[in-house]
């Protein structure tokens, strides 16, 4: 089959370079499984950044590679994949974007 990350197809690039990847899963019986999983993923990304590491969000909702990935790491069949979060060290620091003025992002009673 080749390297395990080969099953990820086009999503393998950010994942194959890192030493760790968090797989966010949930039970689809919970009607907010994707909302909850997304909130958890965002919190992980913030925590990862605060610890000096880098990461990105790889969407895993209904992807072709899900059955193979679930089998590879023994995810129970009753769970769904929400996101993949590779964790590593950044090659360079990305500058923080300029903060936008509140008037540029808030619209009152109309857009």
């Amino acid at each position: 089959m080749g390297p395990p990350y080969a099953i990820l197809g086009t999503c393998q690039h950010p994942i194959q370079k890192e030493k760790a990847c968090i797989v966010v899963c949930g039970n689809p019986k919970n009607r907010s499984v994707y909302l909850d999983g997304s909130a958890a993923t965002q919190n992980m990304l913030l925590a990862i950044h605060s610890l000096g590491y880098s990461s990105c969000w790889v969407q895993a909702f209904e992807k072709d590679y899900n059955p193979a990935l679930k089998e590879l790491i023994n995810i129970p069949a009753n769970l769904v994949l929400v996101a993949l979060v590779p964790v590593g060290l950044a090659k360079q620091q990305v500058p923080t974007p300029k903060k936008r003025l509140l008037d540029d992002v808030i619209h009152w009673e109309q857009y």
Side-chain angles (χ1 to χ4, degrees):
M1 171 166 99
Y5 52 78
I7 63 173
L8 299 173
T10 58
C11 293
Q12 69 181 313
H13 182 68
I15 294 170
Q16 71 185 359
K17 294 175 156 188
E18 305 309 337
K19 302 269 188 226
C21 181
I22 300 166
V23 179
V24 182
C25 305
N27 188 332
K29 289 182 181 180
N30 175 352
R31 66 185 180 121
S32 63
V33 63
Y34 294 106
L35 296 172
D36 294 344
S38 296
T41 300
Q42 180 181 14
N43 287 333
M44 284 185 238
L45 291 169
L46 293 170
I48 290 164
H49 177 77
S50 75
L51 294 169
Y53 294 96
S54 64
S55 187
C56 66
W57 184 325
V58 178
Q59 193 275 110
F61 175 69
E62 296 183 357
K63 291 294 195 175
D64 293 342
Y65 54 74
N66 285 6
L69 181 59
K70 287 175 75 170
E71 182 180 338
L72 178 69
I73 58 176
N74 297 317
I75 296 172
N78 66 315
L79 299 182
V80 293
L81 297 176
V82 177
L84 306 174
V85 183
V87 181
L89 295 171
K91 289 183 182 176
Q92 63 184 23
Q93 280 297 101
V94 177
T96 303
K98 266 184 142 177
K99 191 168 183 171
R100 294 168 59 188
L101 297 174
L102 217 45
D103 289 340
D104 292 340
V105 294
I106 293 182
H107 304 278
W108 299 97
E109 298 183 29
Q110 62 181 353
Y111 193 82

